[in-house]
Amino acid sequence: MNKLKSGLGAVGQFFADFGHAVADGDIFVKLSLVWFGAGYLGRKQYVKSLIMTIYEAALVAYFALVGIPYLSDFGTLGTVQQEYVFNIVTMKNEYNDYDNSFTILLFSVVSLVILVFAIYIWIYNVKNVYRLQQQAAVGKHVNSFLEDVHDYINGKFYVTLLALPVTGVVLFTVVPLFVMIFVAFTNYDQNHMPPSSLFDWVGLSNFIKLFGGGGITDTFGYAFVRVLGWTLVWSFFATLTTYFGGILMALLVNGKTTIAKPMWRVLFMITIAVPQFVSLLLVRNFFADNGIMNTILSNLGVTGFLHNIGLISNNYIPFLTAPGWAHVMIILINIWIGVPYQMLIANGVLTNIPSEQLESAAIDGANSWQIFRSITMPYVFSVTGPALVTDFVKNINNFNVIYLLTADFYVTTNQAMANSQAKETDLLVTWLFTLTQDYYNYKMAAAIGIIIFIICALFTLIAFNRVVARTGEGDFAQ
């Protein structure tokens, strides 16, 4: 809450300073409201005045030629359908001057981002020109253009260094994120596919459909509850099993009675070096209905025993092809995939536990379990707490494990799930992938994407504020 207040206070101060600059500035400051380079021209910063004038001219040209035409169609996302018309001049059937809804949406979002950035530069420019006025009024030196460049290479190099990454984040993260958000409020799907068709705004109907309000014949609400439930269960168990499994394996490797410790560490590193898609595809074949594991268990009589007691109905164990079995196997396979990585992290943390604390606890009569519970585990958690939070979020979006183990392998027999293009083993992210790549249902995929973002954001905020901030890391650092 304090951070929110301070952030809002900073925003308020930013606009307050702008108001003071406009009210108290001289004629050059006020001219800067219309002509970006006027203030610098008045302070004899001619190069800076030229740069800002060119920047303003580029903005005006962009919005005149691109921004305004697209933004004017943003409310309708286009009205002219693509069709063949006969051109009297060429005597051929040609496409008309049709609208492309996605192009309109994309360039409208880009234009809005550019507009927000332009407004920020406009306000900052006026404030900066007012600062130059104040410097000149008290007789301070006003930097030349070369001095400003030198300052951005040395004193303010962090600004120069961050300019390119921030631009990349805006272009490749912020803009696609806003496009996805807007798509969630349209009917963009296989039946409304640009450029041959237009799509339109539909308000909250996609979210209503996702939460079960689409009518008695709509199954998206049913599928969403099932997939969301499995996503949370998977994330919980996948995170905790690999986290504690990695710690236990690190304790075993670092145990006083363990021999050839470097060899064990190298072996675990080798398992990490093997690409996941190779490991997972091999494991999937091992546990196939006609795979090597079913062959071995059938020869040992395990399959027949499970069939006799009613746990399976076929002459094989459906490790990855039946609900329940597949859920358990996915979690178990993920332990095999994730524990080596967590073990290496825990190994590094365990080697840094103050030996004095462990020795003092042993002298005081504490047994191994008490030392682990009161010293080892709190210390490890204090260091790896943030990683635990990010691992949970990562597992919510763990596409590789689920997709590589079940894609084109698991077929649902639940008609309601099939009607929504979902499977019992799907996570929200794999369901989203199927909707876009196989069924072109971008509207529902975008709605699911927003739900994933909200879940991850809420969990991260709560976890970092209530768990990570109270792990007692400072106590161990003393």
Side-chain angles (χ1 to χ4, degrees):
M1 184 60 70
N2 291 331
K3 293 180 181 179
L4 179 60
K5 289 182 180 178
S6 62
L8 292 176
V11 173
Q13 188 62 46
F14 178 78
F15 287 103
D17 292 342
F18 172 70
H20 290 308
V22 174
D24 302 334
D26 59 12
I27 184 62
F28 293 108
V29 175
K30 290 178 170 59
L31 278 175
S32 295
L33 292 169
V34 180
W35 174 21
F36 286 9
Y40 300 110
L41 184 64
R43 309 300 167 201
K44 299 181 180 181
Q45 291 187 321
Y46 302 117
V47 176
K48 217 170 186 181
S49 174
L50 178 62
I51 291 173
M52 294 306 296
T53 301
I54 293 174
Y55 167 75
E56 183 178 9
L59 281 177
V60 172
Y62 173 81
F63 279 99
L65 299 175
V66 180
I68 293 177
Y70 279 109
L71 287 172
S72 63
D73 291 330
F74 186 57
T76 61
L77 296 177
T79 56
V80 181
Q81 185 84 18
Q82 183 190 76
E83 57 183 16
Y84 270 120
V85 294
F86 183 74
N87 191 327
I88 300 178
V89 177
T90 62
M91 303 298 291
K92 295 180 180 179
N93 286 325
E94 299 176 353
Y95 282 120
N96 63 331
D97 187 15
Y98 61 89
D99 292 329
N100 187 314
S101 295
F102 187 79
T103 303
I104 293 171
L105 177 60
L106 176 61
F107 277 95
S108 294
V109 171
V110 171
S111 299
L112 289 173
V113 171
I114 292 175
L115 180 61
V116 171
F117 178 75
I119 292 173
Y120 172 81
I121 294 298
W122 176 62
I123 294 175
Y124 177 81
N125 181 65
V126 172
K127 290 171 57 180
N128 193 47
V129 171
Y130 179 64
R131 180 180 59 81
L132 296 178
Q133 174 193 325
Q134 291 177 313
Q135 289 179 351
V138 298
K140 288 186 177 180
H141 173 68
V142 176
N143 285 351
S144 66
F145 176 74
L146 291 178
E147 288 173 330
D148 279 335
V149 171
H150 183 269
D151 190 27
Y152 277 105
I153 294 176
N154 295 282
K156 296 181 180 179
F157 185 65
Y158 65 94
V159 176
T160 307
L161 196 64
L162 289 174
L164 186 59
V166 169
T167 303
V169 168
V170 171
L171 290 177
F172 301 111
T173 301
V174 175
V175 170
L177 179 63
F178 278 109
V179 170
M180 181 196 72
I181 291 173
F182 284 122
V183 167
F185 297 94
T186 69
N187 59 351
Y188 186 14
D189 57 18
Q190 193 170 14
N191 297 322
H192 305 86
M193 184 71 66
S196 58
S197 299
L198 299 171
F199 60 80
D200 200 0
W201 301 108
V202 294
L204 296 173
S205 64
N206 294 326
F207 293 93
I208 294 172
K209 185 178 182 180
L210 192 62
F211 288 103
I216 193 170
T217 60
D218 200 304
T219 58
F220 264 97
Y222 170 81
F224 175 72
V225 173
R226 294 286 299 271
V227 174
L228 175 62
W230 163 236
T231 300
L232 297 177
V233 169
W234 148 260
S235 302
F236 177 80
F237 283 104
T239 303
L240 291 188
T241 53
T242 55
Y243 180 75
F244 287 108
I247 293 173
L248 292 175
M249 290 300 299
L251 288 172
L252 290 174
V253 171
N254 286 288
K256 294 181 179 179
T257 59
T258 304
I259 61 173
K261 296 178 183 179
M263 180 194 71
W264 294 111
R265 295 190 184 105
V266 169
L267 288 176
F268 278 108
M269 290 183 66
I270 291 174
T271 61
I272 297 173
V274 177
Q276 263 194 15
F277 76 90
V278 174
S279 300
L280 291 173
L281 290 177
L282 284 174
V283 171
R284 184 176 78 164
N285 291 331
F286 288 161
F287 288 97
D289 292 343
N290 57 350
I292 188 171
M293 288 303 300
N294 261 307
T295 302
I296 293 173
L297 293 175
S298 179
N299 293 335
L300 293 175
V302 176
T303 304
F305 172 75
L306 295 177
H307 185 275
N308 292 334
I309 64 175
L311 287 181
I312 58 175
S313 57
N314 300 303
N315 58 353
Y316 57 84
I317 302 174
F319 289 112
L320 294 171
T321 56
W325 284 96
H327 292 146
V328 174
M329 285 305 303
I330 288 171
I331 293 173
L332 292 177
I333 293 171
N334 183 71
I335 294 174
W336 175 66
I337 293 291
V339 162
Y341 178 75
Q342 291 293 342
M343 189 219 72
L344 291 178
I345 295 176
N347 183 71
V349 177
L350 290 172
T351 56
N352 289 307
I353 296 179
S355 58
E356 297 83 3
Q357 292 189 15
L358 300 176
E359 293 171 359
S360 298
I363 293 173
D364 290 339
N367 56 37
S368 299
W369 167 248
Q370 290 172 328
I371 293 174
F372 173 78
R373 185 187 62 186
S374 302
I375 298 177
T376 304
M377 196 60 217
Y379 184 86
V380 173
F381 186 66
S382 70
V383 177
T384 61
L388 185 63
V389 174
T390 56
D391 279 345
F392 183 85
V393 174
K394 180 188 72 176
N395 281 319
I396 289 177
N397 295 290
N398 196 330
F399 179 85
N400 286 351
V401 173
I402 304 299
Y403 185 80
L404 292 174
L405 288 177
T406 63
D408 302 323
F409 203 75
Y410 181 97
V411 179
T412 182
T413 57
N414 187 324
Q415 191 59 46
M417 296 287 286
N419 288 342
S420 300
Q421 297 86 47
K423 303 189 297 287
E424 289 87 349
T425 56
D426 270 333
L427 302 183
L428 289 174
V429 66
T430 57
W431 188 22
L432 181 155
F433 179 82
T434 301
L435 287 172
T436 55
Q437 296 300 308
D438 297 340
Y439 298 95
Y440 308 105
N441 195 343
Y442 298 105
K443 59 179 184 181
M444 297 306 298
I448 294 170
I450 292 175
I451 300 300
I452 294 173
F453 174 78
I454 292 173
I455 292 173
C456 293
L458 287 177
F459 174 80
T460 302
L461 289 173
I462 294 172
F464 271 106
N465 283 283
R466 293 179 177 261
V467 179
V468 178
R470 300 179 184 179
T471 54
E473 183 176 354
D475 296 337
F476 294 97
Q478 294 177 354

